[in-house]
Every structure is written in structure tokens, then in C-alpha cells.
Amino acid sequence: MYFSIIIPVYNRPDEIKELLESLLLSDYDKEYEVVIIEDGSSVSCREEVDKFKDKLNISYYYKENSGPGDSRNFGMKEAQGDYFIIFDSDCIIPKQYLSEVEKELKSSYADCFGGPDAALDSFSDIQKAINFTMTSFLTTGGIRGGSEKLNKFQPRSFNMGISKIAFEDSHGFGNIHPGEDPDLSIRLWKMGYQTRLFPEAFVYHKRRIDWDKFSVQVSKFGKARPILNSWYPEYSKLTFFFPTLFILGLFLAVLLFFFGIAWLLSCYVIYFLLLLISATIQTKSLTIGLLSLVAAYKQFYGYGLGFLNSFIKVILLKQKPQEAFPELFFKVKP
């Protein structure tokens, strides 16, 4: 089996340098290739990539900006491997990653897999707090952090793999972003392919974002879900409504408190205390624990209200997703 590592990048040469440096430390002793796709960047990573030409089997392509999904598709079409491994540019790869993937594929083959994300000690406190809230069972059910308590695992494109056969049959990612990864997973399921979590194939996901960018990101996640539900209603779940119900319930709890009804707000206080304790214990830092409360609130608020906005427009009012939320769709040239 020959791996092709596919990495789209947009204006982040420093991230590419860190990712490629981490690949140099890999304990994988078989040949593989790295394919870098510059997605119309104004700040090129070509110079950084050239520094690794004599250390890695690496190729570089520049294309007009059309989004990460189309850039991954571009890279997979150019790649020589029979199994593609996809990373976001803000990932750092543990040395055992490729060996773990090979071991999982040999023990129980899957045409598409996903792996968890983790945080390095060198990450900032905000990055660690965001990582906690994006992976904790208390906030997301652990679906990004390694939980297999789902009937079907939906790989996330910051750390996933797909066979060449499955890519060619499915034509890869669509032009929605975010949401292109669950869209691909569902289409693969409908075609009879299996997806699976590789729990030990984790990456360190750096997420170079501040609070404002994080709020925008999770809002887009929320907006994308009702669109996917409208495309694939058979895969819609009541649990998708939870962040919206959570944040609306919080607003109601605060309102009721001013009328002397405190029990609902008390439930939220208990929840956030549990979240604080869990984050503090896991990260061994009270500061990160407190920042995790901020991250969790922004996550529920952004996702929940984004979901509600999209649910009203796409599900209730039957608006076309591309017209209701044009910011979620890249224009891909034929």
C-alpha cells in the first residue's frame, strides 16, 4: 500500500514548515509521497516546500482559490498513491501516525477513516481550551476526540484517509465548506463503503484562531448541519438540535431567574462546574479550565444560533442553501 499525503494550504507557509518537519520524524520506514496544494494563496509556501525536496518525496501545485475541498480533490487527482491521507495545514503529525494507520488498515480495512485530534504542551492556553471543548464528551459527545459511540463514524478532513477507489467512485469532496467531510461520509455510506475511527491515529491540531475566528467557525458548522439534513434527511438526528436547545435554555434560565425561578439556571451552573472540573483535571491547569468555559459558551452560542438560523431558512422556509448562505459554498470551475 502506497500512501499519498494530501495537504491544501492557504496563506500559511509557517504551518506547512511545522507539518513537514514533523513528518521528518516519522518512524514509518516505507516510501510515501506528500502533495502540497496552494489554494490561490497570496503568501506562497513554495519556498518552504522547496527546503524539503531532498528530505521528502514531495510535490507542489498552485491553483486558483476554490476552497479546501476542491483543493483536496485536485491533490488526489495528481497523487500517485492508492490510499490518500488528508491533513489540514495546521496539524503536527506524531512520529507513529503512519505506522498506526498501516496497522489499522491491515487489521480491519476501511476505505475511509478518521482520527482524533490532541493538543501539544507548546500550544497556547486558548488553543488548548478550544481543543478541549472541540473534543470533550461534555460538549460534543467526543465525536472529534475519539469516541466510537456512534453507529457510523464521520471522519473530519483535518485528519482522514480515503482509498483511491472510494475517491474515484465518489468524486471526492463537494463545494460546501464547512460540511464537506460529513457530506462525503454520507455519500460513501450510500455507495456501500464503510468509514471507521482509527483511535490511535491522532494528530496535534493547532487551530491558529482567536476567539472571534472561533465564533465564526462554529457558527458556520451550525449553519451547515441543517443543509446536510435537507440533503440527507435519513441521517438527521435529534441530537443535532442540542446546541440550539442548550443556548435557548440558557437564555430562558437567566430570564426566569429574574422572576425568582432559579432551578433551571442552577442546572446550568452545575453543568459548567462539571465542565470546569473536567477541563482543569484533563489539562492540569485552572487557567485552561476557565478558558474552556469561554470556549464552550462560544461553541454553543455560535453553533446553536447558526443551526437555528439555517433550520428556519433551509428547512422551514425551503430556501436554497446556496442562496441563503452563499458564504458556505465555493464556486468550483468545471
Side-chain angles (χ1 to χ4, degrees):
M1 187 174 300
Y2 185 69
F3 293 138
S4 294
I5 296 177
I6 311 297
I7 309 168
V9 59
Y10 181 71
N11 288 338
R12 293 183 174 182
D14 291 343
E15 288 183 352
I16 285 296
K17 178 182 177 182
E18 284 187 303
L19 194 160
L20 295 178
E21 285 176 343
S22 69
L23 285 176
L24 290 178
L25 303 176
S26 174
D27 65 8
Y28 190 68
D29 59 2
K30 298 179 182 178
E31 186 179 356
Y32 63 92
E33 70 168 339
V34 181
V35 181
I36 307 293
I37 309 95
E38 189 95 64
D39 186 25
S41 300
S42 58
V43 183
S44 173
C45 72
R46 179 65 180 264
E47 184 176 340
E48 293 296 337
V49 172
D50 286 344
K51 295 176 182 178
F52 292 85
K53 288 284 189 179
D54 60 345
K55 303 172 185 177
L56 294 167
N57 180 12
I58 192 168
S59 56
Y60 171 92
Y61 298 92
Y62 181 92
K63 52 177 280 299
E64 293 185 18
N65 180 253
S66 58
D70 186 56
S71 296
R72 297 180 196 115
N73 292 344
F74 181 98
M76 288 186 279
K77 290 176 182 176
E78 297 293 335
Q80 303 300 311
D82 51 18
Y83 209 101
F84 307 131
I85 296 175
I86 301 165
F87 297 134
D88 279 356
S89 63
D90 57 355
C91 290
I92 296 173
I93 316 304
K95 66 178 183 179
Q96 74 278 7
Y97 180 92
L98 292 174
S99 299
E100 289 291 343
V101 169
E102 183 181 59
K103 182 172 69 175
E104 290 281 358
L105 289 173
K106 286 182 176 179
S107 65
S108 181
Y109 184 84
D111 277 289
C112 183
F113 77 87
D117 57 336
L120 281 170
D121 290 340
S122 60
F123 286 12
S124 72
D125 287 348
I126 291 178
Q127 287 172 331
K128 291 176 182 178
I130 290 175
N131 179 269
F132 173 82
T133 57
M134 293 291 282
T135 59
S136 173
F137 179 80
L138 291 173
T139 51
T140 64
I143 58 174
R144 298 174 69 93
S147 172
E148 288 186 282
K149 296 178 181 178
L150 295 174
N151 292 331
K152 292 179 179 291
F153 182 73
Q154 294 184 356
R156 299 302 192 270
S157 51
F158 68 88
N159 174 17
M160 73 176 292
I162 182 172
S163 69
K164 181 177 182 179
I165 293 174
F167 165 68
E168 291 178 341
D169 283 353
S170 65
H171 303 292
F173 295 96
N175 68 328
I176 187 172
H177 177 73
E180 72 273 21
D181 28 21
D183 170 60
L184 175 57
S185 294
I186 293 172
R187 287 189 285 111
L188 288 172
W189 297 340
K190 293 169 74 72
M191 297 174 66
Y193 290 101
Q194 300 297 314
T195 61
R196 192 161 70 83
L197 171 70
F198 289 4
E200 299 303 319
F202 64 89
V203 299
Y204 300 111
H205 197 186
K206 201 159 190 177
R207 292 192 181 92
R208 290 183 175 170
I209 53 179
D210 55 28
W211 288 128
D212 289 338
K213 291 178 181 178
F214 180 60
S215 297
V216 171
Q217 182 186 64
V218 292
S219 177
K220 287 184 175 181
F221 288 157
K223 291 174 183 176
R225 180 53 68 177
I227 295 173
L228 296 172
N229 291 347
S230 71
W231 292 347
Y232 311 108
E234 68 271 33
Y235 291 102
S236 178
K237 298 180 181 180
L238 289 176
T239 52
F240 294 154
F241 288 84
F242 177 74
T244 301
L245 296 176
F246 181 94
I247 202 67
L248 293 180
L250 179 57
F251 295 159
L252 177 61
V254 173
L255 180 63
L256 290 176
F257 180 78
F258 286 106
F259 287 92
I261 303 173
W263 67 268
L264 184 56
L265 186 59
S266 297
C267 293
Y268 278 92
V269 171
I270 293 171
Y271 168 78
F272 280 108
L273 281 174
L274 290 174
L275 192 66
L276 173 62
I277 293 170
S278 177
T280 300
I281 292 174
Q282 181 172 318
T283 63
K284 299 180 176 62
S285 169
L286 178 59
T287 299
I288 299 173
L290 292 170
L291 289 171
S292 295
L293 299 184
V294 178
Y297 175 76
K298 288 183 175 291
Q299 183 174 330
F300 280 118
Y301 182 88
Y303 190 105
L305 296 189
F307 182 98
L308 180 62
N309 184 15
S310 182
F311 181 81
I312 292 172
K313 290 183 177 181
V314 174
I315 303 299
L316 298 183
L317 300 181
K318 306 297 183 182
Q319 294 183 14
K320 293 182 178 180
Q322 291 85 346
E323 295 177 0
F325 302 104
E327 71 274 15
L328 300 184
F329 294 88
F330 281 90
K331 294 181 179 180
V332 179
K333 293 183 178 181

